[in-house]
Amino acid sequence: MSVETNNWEELRRQARQLENEIDLKLVSFSKLGTSYGSPEYRNENSDTVPLLSSTNSDHMFETMALEIEQLLSKLTDVNDKMISYCQTQAVPGSTVTHTLQRHRDILQDCTHEFQKTKANIQARKEREQLLSSVRKDIDAYKSSSGLNRRTDLYLKEHEHLRNSEKMVDDQISIAVKTKEELLNQRLAMKAIQTKMTTLVNRFPIINSLIQRINLRKRRDSIILALVISACLILFLMYSFH
């Protein structure tokens, strides 16, 4: 019975020692997560530097997480040994059961606290990496926005000049075509006049005939005017009498 008690006490001593170590590690781990992002930790403005930008901080985070996981694994093994010991040795008493349950609860609480702190730090790390990427994009845009605006203005001005040149070219083309059409018409009229002059000079009889026709038409017009005038005079004389 004394040997059994010594074995039980040794397991309890190991469990308490591991629990104390895990508790201290969890406190340091929690402080590490809280210190990320603080101006004192980075010694810089929190709006300009990502929380987990340092390689040393990442290494510290991974190292402490690994140490705590190893301690939790050892504590789990000790608890399993305590349970196995109680089952094989049939250790009596409600005190033993209560003690065993208490160690199991402590293990569960430590595991839960570790997972929660680790998840919070990981989420903060991912958030800061995202913010750092966005911040870099904004800085790059700001540095290049001025040049881009000037380039856009130059391109627009160049496009306006090209459109103006195109409109001027179109107007000049229209004017040249109009000039060519007028010259063609002038040449055509001049050719017709030349042909008529050539015909008249070549056939003088036609010229004299045309002159006679014009004289006869003029004579007929004069005769018709005299007849109409006489008729009007006779009509007026008849009307007054």
Side-chain angles (χ1 to χ4, degrees):
M1 186 66 182
S2 177
V3 175
E4 294 177 358
T5 303
N6 291 335
N7 291 335
W8 174 256
E9 291 298 331
E10 178 64 20
L11 291 174
R12 286 192 59 190
R13 185 188 65 79
Q14 293 178 5
R16 288 195 297 269
Q17 183 178 356
L18 290 172
E19 290 169 356
N20 291 332
E21 292 182 7
I22 292 173
D23 186 63
L24 293 175
K25 292 289 185 180
L26 286 177
V27 172
S28 301
F29 194 62
S30 179
K31 289 182 178 180
L32 177 64
T34 305
S35 64
Y36 283 141
S38 62
E40 294 79 4
Y41 179 80
R42 291 170 298 167
N43 196 21
E44 296 184 15
N45 194 323
S46 59
D47 295 333
T48 58
V49 180
L51 293 179
L52 297 179
S53 59
S54 174
T55 305
N56 293 330
S57 62
D58 290 340
H59 179 70
M60 186 182 300
F61 167 75
E62 294 175 357
T63 301
M64 292 188 66
L66 181 60
E67 291 177 355
I68 295 174
E69 288 176 352
Q70 291 176 352
L71 291 174
L72 288 173
S73 179
K74 291 180 180 179
L75 182 59
T76 302
D77 292 339
V78 172
N79 285 344
D80 293 340
K81 289 179 181 180
M82 293 173 69
I83 295 173
S84 177
Y85 181 82
C86 291
Q87 292 176 351
T88 56
Q89 299 298 330
V91 180
S94 60
T95 303
V96 174
T97 304
H98 176 74
T99 302
L100 183 61
Q101 183 63 37
R102 177 175 173 275
H103 286 294
R104 293 175 62 183
D105 293 339
I106 292 175
L107 174 61
Q108 185 176 0
D109 293 340
C110 290
T111 303
H112 177 73
E113 183 67 22
F114 168 69
Q115 296 295 336
K116 180 180 178 182
T117 304
K118 182 179 178 181
N120 291 336
I121 296 176
Q122 191 67 30
R124 186 177 298 180
K125 178 180 178 181
E126 294 176 356
R127 171 180 172 274
E128 288 303 322
Q129 288 178 347
L130 178 61
L131 291 178
S132 177
S133 176
V134 173
R135 203 174 290 116
K136 290 180 180 178
D137 293 339
I138 293 174
D139 293 339
Y141 174 77
K142 287 181 179 179
S143 62
S144 62
S145 59
L147 179 60
N148 291 335
R149 281 196 294 268
R150 287 194 296 271
T151 304
D152 292 340
L153 290 176
Y154 290 148
L155 291 175
K156 289 181 180 179
E157 188 66 23
H158 179 67
E159 188 68 22
H160 292 162
L161 292 174
R162 288 185 60 186
N163 293 333
S164 300
E165 291 178 356
K166 185 177 179 181
M167 291 178 63
V168 172
D169 292 338
D170 293 340
Q171 296 297 325
I172 292 175
S173 299
I174 293 172
V176 170
K177 289 181 181 179
T178 304
K179 181 181 179 182
E180 291 177 354
E181 292 293 333
L182 292 175
L183 289 174
N184 292 332
Q185 292 180 7
R186 180 182 177 183
L187 293 175
M189 295 297 295
K190 189 174 182 180
I192 293 172
Q193 184 179 3
T194 303
K195 289 181 180 180
M196 292 297 296
T197 304
T198 302
L199 288 174
V200 170
N201 293 331
R202 184 176 296 179
F203 303 101
I205 298 174
I206 296 175
N207 188 15
S208 62
L209 180 61
I210 292 174
Q211 291 179 357
R212 288 178 183 178
I213 292 172
N214 291 331
L215 291 174
R216 182 169 293 181
K217 287 177 64 178
R218 189 179 301 171
R219 186 187 64 182
D220 292 339
S221 299
I222 294 173
I223 293 172
L224 182 59
L226 292 175
V227 172
I228 293 173
S229 300
C231 292
L232 288 174
I233 292 171
L234 292 174
F235 179 74
L236 292 174
M237 289 176 63
Y238 178 76
S239 300
F240 286 117
H241 287 293

